[in-house]
Amino acid sequence: MTQGQTLKTKLVSMLCMVYRQEDCTVLADRLLLAMGLAGDQAPVPAHQNHWDEADVWLITYADTLQRPGEKPLVTLHDVLKHWLSDAISGVHILPFFPYSSDDGFSVMDYLAVNESHGSWQDIERIAGDFKLMADLVINHMSARSRWFENFRKRLDPGKDYFFEASPRDDLSAVVRPRTSPLLTAVQTEDGERYVWCTFSEDQVDLNFANPRVLEEFVAIIRKYLEHGISIFRLDAVAFLWKEIGTPCIHLQQTHELIKILRLLIEHHTPTAIVITETNVPNRENLTYFGNANEAHLIYNFSLPPLLINTLVTGNCRHLKTWLMSMPPAQMGTTYLNFIASHDGIGMRPTDGLLDEDEKQRLINTMESFGGRVSYRRTADGRDQPYEINIALYDALKGTAEGGVDHWQQARFVCAHTIMLALEGVPAFYIHSLLATGNDYERVEHTGRLRSINRAQCEADRLDELLAQPDNHHAQVFRELKRLIGIRRRQPAFHPNATQFTLHLGLQVFGFWRQSARRDQSIFCIHNISPETQEIALADINLIGTDRWVDLISGMVIEDLSGSVTLKPYQGVWLSNRE
């Protein structure tokens, strides 16, 4: 925002880029009223980092952890405080609203907490102890929602809230993430209408060409902020704006709407954060930073498939090439690093990074470890792999060539050692912290492949497991917590600290981080193979006047002319500051 420009004048100019036929001054007044903002408000300072090296986030469903006679949100809060208060700074609770399908992503009421999960008071208690991320399921809404029932009845609010098209329209260019039909026939008081369903017939796309829909969501955002939510995950936002005859993904209006939402959010709560969820090829994903005026964070969607591919092939060439191509995030923006989530391992983010044979080899390996594959339909009618559905612990149970081996736990920890050290904010899916395997019973029960990595756990049984010394769940949990604790004390692991890729061969993946004050350097070096590797310290260029120690093992480097021996899947963080 330029000097002397008010919030309202900035907002009007942005709205005019989207709603050319509207009186944008009036629309701006309505949005400011919905958000509770004054139009003459001063600009929010740009390029502010609302995170540091201590930020580590957890991803979980509201009802992943359960205890008899207790609401799951109460149970979740209790487990977070007991087991993770010293490890995480924030928690992403996946959609906790009333829903009709897709484990919460088919929202029926944006302003209510699912009664089976708990209440807004439970949400506020969690937000009082942790930074809270919530989903703004902004692209679509449940076909069983009140808005959609009003659409059928031709009543407000809802009559013009959903995107319609005709089977006669040329939709051949539309990019699809699913194989289901794009249009669904619906009987209304005005006869048959065809609504646009990017994901399923129960998830009907909203029509943001109607500014009333934007106004509704601004009011929803304000309510979330008032309940303590400070991080907004814009779900499936790439598909937000539709124009017949275009791919209907990444349209400029979508980018402008994200800028508008960010502008309003940060003027209401200057420390709030916007994250875009765009499971697309890497170059497309990067566009959601804008000019540091769209998303504060973007999901690093290429990291999970590339890192898993690296560890099962024992070759880091593609991971290293990708890391060298990633631009440093501007101040006020950064990456959200994750390896696993409630969804599968996306294959679209490997476009341009892995060739077709390499993709198929990865798919074959994951299937041999018990994984499944979900597909999307291309413009020419072909079904292409969209994501691999598998629990991360089982995804790393062996190698592409050798199959299942005894290095599963070491390989799994190595993956997270790498993630924790990379530029950006690390996020752990709860089932990764717990080293949960494939849940075939849940897949059978729900009929959905993604359920393989969405197990529900008895909290009391979890307490028992984590208190024991000899099961892999407890061993992994303790080691990951230990690594998290180390990471959170290092200025060189600030999400925006300098990062350079090292060249140490194909079996060793390394990079260098340096703190903003240049008072700490960390060389992060990882053996991504099942064979022992010897690394000459001269190849790393450690400064001879500094004292170097491996933060992970405590090993002190006594002879800089010597070497470091890395066992299979061992990582070291060589730092000149303890």
Side-chain angles (χ1 to χ4, degrees):
M1 197 178 294
T2 58
Q3 187 173 6
Q5 194 174 29
T6 66
L7 170 59
K8 180 176 177 179
T9 56
K10 177 66 173 177
L11 181 59
V12 169
S13 67
M14 295 169 75
L15 289 168
C16 287
M17 298 182 71
V18 181
Y19 299 106
R20 300 179 187 278
Q21 307 303 317
E22 297 290 325
D23 184 334
C24 291
T25 300
V26 173
L27 177 56
D29 285 335
R30 296 208 308 263
L31 295 177
L32 292 169
L33 179 63
M35 199 60 151
L37 297 173
D40 59 355
Q41 193 167 328
V44 171
H47 307 295
Q48 300 293 306
N49 290 333
H50 305 312
W51 45 80
D52 61 25
E53 59 272 17
D55 274 295
V56 177
W57 297 344
L58 179 76
I59 305 167
T60 182
Y61 279 101
D63 60 349
T64 293
L65 303 174
Q66 302 187 356
R67 187 174 285 144
E70 189 172 77
K71 294 290 188 180
L73 283 170
V74 175
T75 305
L76 174 62
H77 191 202
D78 178 65
V79 172
L80 292 177
K81 288 194 299 181
H82 180 71
W83 289 106
L84 291 170
S85 61
D86 58 344
I88 66 168
S89 60
V91 57
H92 171 200
I93 305 178
L94 291 152
F96 47 79
F97 318 105
Y99 69 97
S100 55
S101 64
D102 197 19
D103 286 343
F105 284 93
S106 186
V107 179
M108 296 173 64
D109 185 350
Y110 290 104
L111 295 178
V113 174
N114 190 329
E115 289 184 5
S116 66
H117 295 341
S119 66
W120 277 118
Q121 288 73 25
D122 298 321
I123 291 292
E124 290 167 5
R125 291 187 189 101
I126 295 173
D129 290 329
F130 303 91
K131 297 176 183 179
L132 180 57
M133 184 196 308
D135 289 272
L136 192 67
V137 186
I138 196 169
N139 178 72
H140 49 264
M141 194 177 188
S142 170
R144 291 172 51 191
S145 63
R146 181 174 68 92
W147 284 359
F148 197 69
E149 285 302 312
N150 284 351
F151 173 85
R152 291 175 181 271
K153 296 174 183 177
R154 316 312 291 151
L155 300 174
D156 288 320
K159 180 178 68 175
D160 302 315
Y161 280 15
F162 297 90
F163 195 84
E164 299 181 48
S166 167
R168 297 185 298 275
D169 291 331
D170 180 6
L171 305 177
S172 60
V174 175
V175 173
R176 298 296 317 285
R178 298 289 186 272
T179 58
S180 56
L182 178 59
L183 301 183
T184 297
V186 177
Q187 291 298 324
T188 75
E189 292 295 326
D190 291 342
E192 188 175 64
R193 301 289 186 105
Y194 286 87
V195 292
W196 191 285
C197 300
T198 297
F199 292 92
S200 79
E201 66 178 13
D202 186 48
Q203 295 168 297
V204 188
D205 285 38
L206 290 151
N207 178 22
F208 273 84
N210 178 358
R212 286 286 300 169
V213 175
L214 175 61
E215 189 176 343
E216 293 273 16
F217 272 89
V218 169
I220 290 165
I221 289 169
R222 180 183 178 185
K223 289 294 183 184
Y224 290 1
L225 287 163
E226 291 171 352
H227 285 299
I229 294 164
S230 60
I231 308 171
F232 292 83
R233 177 185 183 269
L234 305 189
D235 177 65
V237 71
F239 302 97
L240 197 64
W241 194 274
K242 288 87 175 170
E243 285 186 3
I244 305 302
T246 75
C248 297
I249 186 173
H250 311 316
L251 297 188
Q252 189 56 41
Q253 292 92 333
T254 293
H255 288 280
E256 297 301 329
L257 285 168
I258 295 170
K259 294 174 189 176
I260 289 167
L261 293 177
R262 171 171 169 167
L263 182 75
L264 294 169
I265 288 170
E266 66 186 5
H267 276 79
H268 183 285
T269 304
T271 57
I273 293 171
V274 172
I275 301 180
T276 49
E277 187 268 333
T278 49
N279 189 0
V280 296
N282 194 56
R283 290 184 181 180
E284 298 172 27
N285 192 31
L286 289 169
T287 65
Y288 285 87
F289 277 139
N291 294 317
N293 59 352
E294 288 188 47
H296 294 91
L297 283 83
I298 63 171
Y299 276 77
N300 225 342
F301 271 108
S302 294
L303 177 61
L306 288 180
L307 183 50
I308 292 167
N309 183 70
T310 292
L311 289 164
V312 299
T313 63
N315 185 320
C316 67
R317 178 168 66 91
H318 295 304
L319 182 63
K320 186 165 62 173
T321 300
W322 166 77
L323 193 66
M324 288 188 293
S325 73
M326 293 295 282
Q330 295 186 55
M331 299 300 286
T333 68
T334 194
Y335 298 100
L336 182 68
N337 294 324
F338 72 109
I339 319 173
S341 74
H342 62 293
D343 288 341
I345 302 163
M347 292 304 293
R348 284 207 75 211
T350 65
D351 289 355
L353 302 173
L354 299 178
D355 65 32
E356 293 306 313
D357 288 342
E358 290 166 329
K359 291 180 187 178
Q360 191 57 53
R361 186 187 191 194
L362 177 60
I363 289 170
N364 293 343
T365 302
M366 295 299 100
E367 287 182 321
S368 74
F369 296 159
R372 307 288 190 266
V373 180
S374 298
Y375 292 84
R376 68 182 181 93
R377 184 145 301 155
T378 61
D380 59 4
R382 292 181 298 116
D383 288 350
Q384 291 273 30
Y386 180 69
E387 67 180 17
I388 302 169
N389 303 111
I390 190 169
L392 182 63
Y393 193 66
D394 282 343
L396 296 172
K397 70 196 307 181
T399 64
E401 287 189 0
V404 176
D405 59 24
H406 63 284
W407 294 111
Q408 181 179 16
Q409 189 167 316
R411 194 179 288 114
F412 185 78
V413 171
C414 179
H416 290 94
T417 304
I418 291 170
M419 181 189 77
L420 279 167
L422 286 169
E423 175 189 358
V425 175
F428 286 81
Y429 185 43
I430 190 167
H431 288 300
S432 293
L433 273 180
L434 303 176
T436 308
N438 293 332
D439 190 342
Y440 301 110
E441 289 185 11
R442 190 163 175 81
V443 173
E444 187 72 22
H445 175 71
T446 66
R448 296 190 300 271
L449 297 182
R450 283 179 166 176
S451 297
I452 200 169
N453 195 28
R454 298 180 179 181
Q456 294 178 323
C457 309
E458 294 181 9
D460 294 338
R461 173 59 179 155
L462 177 64
D463 288 341
E464 293 175 7
L465 282 173
L466 296 184
Q468 297 170 7
D470 56 355
N471 65 79
H472 79 271
H473 302 288
Q475 291 168 354
V476 167
F477 182 74
R478 284 195 297 270
E479 181 61 10
L480 293 183
K481 276 194 67 178
R482 188 178 77 88
L483 291 170
I484 290 169
I486 296 169
R487 178 228 154 75
R488 298 182 80 191
R489 299 191 296 271
Q490 314 308 322
F493 284 155
H494 186 286
N496 294 90
T498 299
Q499 176 174 285
F500 285 107
T501 308
L502 302 176
H503 300 277
L504 301 169
L506 297 180
Q507 284 72 51
V508 178
F509 178 61
F511 49 93
W512 171 71
R513 305 292 308 278
Q514 185 181 63
S515 61
R517 294 183 178 180
R518 300 185 178 181
D519 57 348
Q520 184 183 34
S521 289
I522 303 178
F523 290 84
C524 308
I525 304 169
H526 317 85
N527 180 1
I528 50 84
S529 79
E531 290 84 33
T532 298
Q533 302 292 327
E534 197 83 13
I535 309 299
L537 291 171
D539 293 338
I540 306 174
N541 296 320
L542 300 182
I543 298 174
T545 55
D546 289 347
R547 181 177 184 272
W548 295 92
V549 61
D550 172 24
L551 298 172
I552 296 176
S553 68
M555 173 188 68
V556 177
I557 303 297
E558 302 287 359
D559 181 8
L560 295 185
S561 64
S563 63
V564 171
T565 301
L566 296 181
K567 298 174 183 178
Y569 305 106
Q570 181 184 357
V572 293
W573 292 341
L574 300 180
S575 172
N576 61 349
R577 166 178 159 175
E578 296 183 52

